[in-house]
Amino acid sequence: MRVLPKTDADYPPLLLVRTDYRDDDGWQRVLAALDQPWVFDEGDEDNGRLKEDIVQVDDPAWADATPSDVLAALTAPGEEGGEASDECGWPVVFLADHASMEGAEPTLLAVSPDPEEETEPYRIPALETPHEMHCNLAIANMDFDEFGG
């Protein structure tokens, strides 16, 4: 059964869903890229380095899931029942799909969980960009389409 966590945190962690299980080495390259902090201000007290906490969904039940599958799970009623909701609490969801693990530099598919977002999911570099994107979307500093959609 495909289940994704919801959150009500003011500043939730980064949500990463693995949807391809053909390349474990590729998955490790994605994780290694995400382990690198985003350098946003070298003059800052911590040298401007930020690495978001990550919730990894690494469950083969999500093999070959599409962005639509992920969005449907995020808005499905919870275990206690109730109505489906457009609000899942995540500012962005990243998918590690087959294309993410191809090539020398890993990428992620960025998906907006906002039902009013008109920008289609798009590919971003897995190195630094997910941290920057997640941070700016979580604090409503930028919009989803400003990152390349």
Side-chain angles (χ1 to χ4, degrees), residues 21-149:
Y21 288 83
R22 294 172 271 201
D23 185 356
D24 286 330
D25 289 338
W27 173 240
Q28 292 307 312
R29 284 193 310 276
V30 167
L31 295 178
L34 287 170
D35 196 41
Q36 300 302 309
W38 165 45
V39 179
F40 62 93
D41 181 2
E42 291 184 6
D44 196 42
E45 62 190 41
D46 60 359
N47 294 324
R49 298 181 190 289
L50 177 67
K51 184 167 58 172
E52 304 290 325
D53 292 332
I54 299 173
V55 171
Q56 292 179 30
V57 177
D58 186 2
D59 179 347
W62 286 98
D64 299 319
T66 66
S68 296
D69 296 332
V70 170
L71 294 177
L74 286 173
T75 58
E79 290 180 11
E80 63 279 345
E83 304 257 338
S85 169
D86 288 341
E87 296 293 322
C88 65
W90 304 105
V92 62
V93 180
F94 298 103
L95 304 187
D97 58 5
H98 184 67
S100 296
M101 300 177 209
E102 291 181 328
E105 299 297 324
T107 63
L108 295 173
L109 189 62
V111 180
S112 173
D114 182 348
E116 295 178 16
E117 178 62 58
E118 295 181 7
T119 304
E120 293 293 318
Y122 55 88
R123 196 149 302 281
I124 61 169
L127 185 64
E128 292 189 5
T129 306
H131 298 299
E132 176 184 7
M133 185 177 194
H134 175 266
C135 175
N136 280 289
L137 292 174
I139 63 173
N141 187 47
M142 294 177 76
D143 294 324
F144 184 77
D145 63 347
E146 291 181 80
F147 283 92

Side-chain angles (χ1 to χ4, degrees), residues 2-20:
R2 291 179 168 174
V3 177
L4 290 174
K6 295 185 182 187
T7 183
D8 60 2
D10 288 337
Y11 191 87
L14 187 150
L15 180 59
L16 173 65
V17 181
R18 182 180 182 185
T19 65
D20 184 81

